[in-house]
Each structure stands twice: as structure tokens, then as C-alpha cells.
Amino acid sequence: MRRIISLLLTLIIIVTCSSCGFKKADNKPYSITFQCFDTICSITIYDKKPKKDLEKIANKLEKKCIHYDSLYNLDDSRYSVEFHHSDGSLTCIEDVHFSNKKNAMRTIGFGEEDEPLYDSIKYSKMTDGAFDVTIAPLVKLWNINGKDFKIPSDKQIKKQLKYVDYKQIDDSPGNYYVLTKMGSIDFGGIAKGFISDLLVTELKENKIKSALIDLGGNIYTYGKKNNSLFKVGIKKPFTNNELSATVKAKDKAIITAGIYQRYHKKDGKIYSHIINPKTGYPIDNDLNAVTVISDSGTAADALSTGFMVMGLKKGIALANKTKNIEAVFIDKDNNLHLTDGLKQDGKEITIK
């Protein structure tokens, strides 16, 4: 009897020590939600690391988002700008949206705030200006996101349109860019994608296995969710919660640009936040939305805007010939048009 009691006590001690000394790490997803980029953002991490470690990493990612948002926000610019006047004098200011001056040109250095500029020029060239990083004068003129919306006059649009042209950016000096027409830059069409790439790099450095990044609808599926592909819905334009399709993917940015996301409607006409850099007016073509799928959040963000401006025929043609780019185009009737590298089964879309 004593032997039985002794064995039972030994088993109790082993079980107790096992539960204390060898506690299995919490495998539940850790999620954080925060306000940034004028929208709601969330980051969900799937990893076996202790909760306190995941919390520390998630908070670091949030701070990175807030930091870069302060750099790239059109209304809170921190750019250092130099004006080289015709008389040889130099004026330095801290506002890239300073009023236009004659006989001057802007010099933008390669500081932290200018990091997306190289890629912005790249995709401006690739889309022949359908995505144009110098769109800022028109964005501010239309003020689609503002409360007091007013359609600008043709005269006002033409005045600002002359400052919108990515070809004005002269990078020949090698260590800085020059905006020769006194325009100004806007990273709004590329910043969230660019930042999602920075967050993925941070996740890799912290040896995180899997995460879902959602920067106001700009999605990055990092790794797999419990050994399965992430499922990301593509919203049906101008509906509340209906989906046009669901994309299954891993290690992909999935970013949508659409006229339904931010717009004003006046006299039955929709004025979208997506402005055609060549006409100066909000786009009015055969597309409601474009979702771009890519390894690069930067590419997906810029090209989703570029494809929207280009329209269905030109946009899908460019997408099909661009490496590591797939896209779902939604026309005015909400019909789907897929690039060659995608396959569809019902409402489910996967990469071939």
C-alpha cells in the first residue's frame, strides 16, 4: 500500500513539474488594432513565441507605421526643400508644398522621408504616368477626402496640371532629385504598400512564422495561417459586405484600388479620389476596381492605382507582361477579369 501511495505521489510530482517547468508556449494568434493612415489598421501574428514577446513585436510594428505616416502624410509633410534661385541664392524651408516660385527648382535629398521616391519614379515610368508621384497639386485641389467638396474650375485644374509630370524629376546629380517644374510629390498611392514591405522585413528579422498585415485594406499575407493559405476577400464595389471573390495566398501583398473607396457624388456623377494625372480629373473609365497580387507591397500599391487610371485593356496588358504581378480587374458591371497567372473556381481565386 505504501508502495502504491509512493508511486502516486511520484506521478503527481512529475505531472506538476512538467506543467510548470515545460509549459507549452501560447500558440494563439496575437492581434493589435490601431488608427493610422487615416484608417483602421491591424496586425495579427501567428507564432508559438510567448505572448509578451509577440506583444513587444506588434507594438514595434505599430510605432513604425505611425512614424512613417507622419513622414508621408500629405498634410503633415516633413520634407526638407531647397530653392535654387536664378541669382544664385539659396532658400531652405521645411515644407515640400510651399507655394510655387518662378526661376526656382526643388531639391529633395535621400533622407528617411524620401525612401519611396526611387520606387515611385520606377512605377511612374512603368505606367507611363498613369501612376504619377507628382500628383500632389491635383490631390490638394480636388480635396476628395475633405468635408467641403467643391468641383474645381477648368482654369484651376489646368493651372495645377502643368506642375504634374513625373518626367520633371531630374535625378542626374546622383545624390538628390530635382523637381524642375516646382511641383510637389505625394506618396499616398505607394506609402502603405511600401510600409507593409518594411513590416514584413521586421517580422523576418524577429523570426516570426506567420502574420496578416492589414493597413486599411492593404493586405500582406506573410507565411501561412496554421499551415493553410490565407483567404483574403475582394469586396464587390458599391455593396456593403458582399464579396466578388476570395484570394488564397501566402507571402503576397493583396491591394485594391477602387472608385468606390473614397468619392463624392454630385448630380448623379461619381468623383473618385483616383485622379488621372494627364487630364487632371477623377478617373471615368470602364473599371470599378483593381486588386493587384504581388510579392511586393510597394509594387501592388502603386500598380493598383496605375491600372485603374489605364483602364481594363491597357491595364491588364501591362499586368500580364510584368513579372511577379497578377491582378483582378472589376469592370463597371462588376464582372471579373483575371491576369493569365490566376485561376478561378467559383468565387475562389488562386495563383497557378
Side-chain angles (χ1 to χ4, degrees):
M1 184 71 179
R2 289 179 180 177
R3 186 180 179 185
I4 293 173
I5 293 171
S6 178
L7 285 171
L8 288 171
L9 287 172
T10 303
L11 285 171
I12 290 169
I13 291 169
I14 290 172
V15 171
T16 304
C17 289
S18 296
S19 63
C20 294
F22 301 94
K23 185 177 180 182
K24 187 178 180 181
D26 190 0
N27 195 26
K28 292 181 180 179
Y30 183 85
S31 187
I32 187 170
T33 302
F34 54 95
Q35 181 84 24
C36 198
F37 312 114
D38 296 322
T39 187
I40 302 298
C41 301
S42 67
I43 299 171
T44 303
I45 301 174
Y46 301 87
D47 199 277
K48 293 183 179 180
K49 287 182 174 58
K51 182 179 178 181
K52 64 178 183 178
D53 292 345
L54 298 182
E55 182 179 12
K56 184 178 179 181
I57 294 168
N59 288 336
K60 188 176 181 180
L61 297 178
E62 178 187 358
K63 288 179 181 178
K64 188 179 285 285
C65 287
I66 293 170
H67 170 68
Y68 277 95
D69 183 33
S70 70
L71 292 178
Y72 303 147
N73 191 306
L74 188 61
D75 296 320
D76 185 27
S77 182
R78 305 285 180 84
Y79 297 109
S80 176
V81 178
E82 297 178 350
F83 286 97
H84 296 259
H85 301 281
S86 56
D87 61 1
S89 63
L90 178 67
T91 303
C92 296
I93 60 170
E94 291 296 324
D95 182 7
V96 77
H97 305 297
F98 193 80
S99 60
N100 297 322
K101 288 179 177 289
K102 294 182 179 179
N103 301 319
M105 60 184 179
R106 297 179 188 272
T107 301
I108 305 174
F110 280 119
E112 182 185 27
E113 68 273 19
D114 302 313
E115 288 175 357
L117 191 54
Y118 174 82
D119 286 316
S120 295
I121 295 170
K122 173 184 175 181
Y123 294 111
S124 294
K125 291 178 179 179
M126 182 183 293
T127 61
D128 191 27
F131 169 84
D132 195 319
V133 69
T134 64
I135 194 73
L138 290 171
V139 172
K140 293 183 74 68
L141 176 65
W142 278 93
N143 192 29
I144 296 293
N145 298 327
K147 294 181 180 179
D148 300 321
F149 174 70
K150 184 179 179 181
I151 300 173
S153 66
D154 289 344
K155 184 177 180 181
Q156 289 175 310
I157 292 170
K158 288 178 181 178
K159 181 180 179 180
Q160 296 304 319
L161 192 58
K162 65 183 180 180
Y163 299 114
V164 177
D165 181 6
Y166 74 94
K167 295 177 183 177
Q168 70 175 284
I169 302 176
D170 178 13
D171 58 354
S172 57
N175 62 341
Y176 56 81
Y177 291 112
V178 176
L179 288 167
T180 56
K181 289 186 180 179
M182 293 308 304
S184 52
I185 57 176
D186 175 19
F187 290 139
I190 199 171
K192 286 192 287 184
F194 177 82
I195 294 165
S196 71
D197 289 337
L198 296 180
L199 300 185
V200 169
T201 298
E202 189 79 33
L203 289 168
K204 290 178 180 178
E205 290 176 352
N206 283 275
K207 294 181 170 49
I208 294 296
K209 301 296 183 183
S210 175
L212 182 67
I213 299 169
D214 181 355
L215 304 183
N218 282 35
I219 307 295
Y220 201 106
T221 59
Y222 173 64
K224 287 185 175 182
K225 179 183 177 182
N226 299 324
N227 295 318
S228 298
L229 297 174
F230 281 98
K231 294 182 180 180
V232 179
I234 298 178
K235 185 179 178 180
K236 187 174 184 179
F238 300 107
T239 66
N240 289 328
N241 298 308
E242 191 175 348
L243 296 180
S244 289
T246 301
V247 177
K248 295 178 68 176
K250 68 167 186 173
D251 297 322
K252 298 291 182 184
I254 302 173
I255 297 178
T256 299
I259 62 172
Y260 65 92
Q261 294 170 325
R262 283 173 286 164
Y263 66 91
H264 283 278
K265 194 170 185 179
K266 191 168 184 179
D267 299 327
K269 183 178 176 62
I270 289 175
Y271 294 89
S272 166
H273 72 292
I274 303 175
I275 299 172
N276 188 328
K278 297 183 179 180
T279 67
Y281 287 84
I283 61 170
D284 184 12
N285 56 26
D286 53 2
L287 290 175
N288 274 339
V290 177
T291 297
V292 176
I293 306 164
S294 174
D295 300 344
S296 165
T298 306
D301 204 1
L303 291 177
S304 61
T305 299
F307 294 158
M308 278 298 296
V309 174
M310 296 173 75
L312 178 58
K313 185 177 179 179
K314 290 183 178 179
I316 202 167
L318 178 59
N320 275 325
K321 71 177 186 180
T322 303
K323 188 178 179 180
N324 296 324
I325 293 293
E326 301 298 339
V328 179
F329 291 74
I330 304 179
D331 64 25
K332 287 294 190 183
D333 295 318
N334 282 339
N335 297 313
L336 273 58
H337 305 262
L338 278 57
T339 49
D340 297 338
L342 298 176
K343 60 181 179 180
Q344 184 175 6
D345 182 9
K347 284 195 171 185
E348 191 171 89
I349 294 174
T350 54
I351 301 170
K352 292 180 181 178

